[in-house]
Amino acid sequence: MDLDEDDGSGGNCPTHVAPLVGVFLPAVIAEMDKTLRTAYEAAGWKTIVDKDRKNYRKPRPQKLYPPEEVGIRASEHLTYSDFPRLAEHTDGEATCYT
């Protein structure tokens, strides 16, 4: 849906910055990786990852993986000013590491 068609109830305006950050500010990427690993450990995701690895029936896209296997998928600067009616929501399983 184009911004001019949206009633203001959903969406965001992302600017993907990971490629530029990786090239020009590698220390930032290192800090993001450190933060991701800390969150992974603090949230107890390893237990879920281990369980998913053993579950051969669970589809691959629905499984969680450790940070060293997925890396930093995206780094975005998000603005929501064009979506004044956006309410609390869940983005879904596919964005759990974003």
Side-chain angles (χ1 to χ4, degrees), residues 49-80:
V49 167
D50 290 344
K51 186 177 174 183
D52 281 354
R53 281 194 170 144
K54 294 174 186 173
N55 185 351
Y56 295 102
R57 294 183 178 179
K58 189 172 188 177
R60 188 179 193 283
Q62 294 177 5
K63 292 183 176 187
L64 290 182
Y65 294 88
E68 62 271 12
E69 290 184 28
V70 296
I72 297 171
R73 188 180 76 178
S75 179
E76 303 172 335
H77 171 73
L78 298 175
T79 60
Y80 294 90

Side-chain angles (χ1 to χ4, degrees), residues 28-59:
V28 172
I29 295 296
E31 191 63 30
M32 290 171 67
D33 183 63
K34 182 179 167 184
T35 301
L36 175 59
R37 291 175 190 278
T38 300
Y40 176 80
E41 292 170 11
W45 288 347
K46 185 176 183 338
T47 303
I48 299 169
V49 167
D50 290 344
K51 186 177 174 183
D52 281 354
R53 281 194 170 144
K54 294 174 186 173
N55 185 351
Y56 295 102
R57 294 183 178 179
K58 189 172 188 177

Side-chain angles (χ1 to χ4, degrees), residues 77-90:
H77 171 73
L78 298 175
T79 60
Y80 294 90
S81 58
D82 292 324
F83 304 96
R85 295 180 49 209
L86 181 64
E88 184 176 330
H89 66 283
T90 301

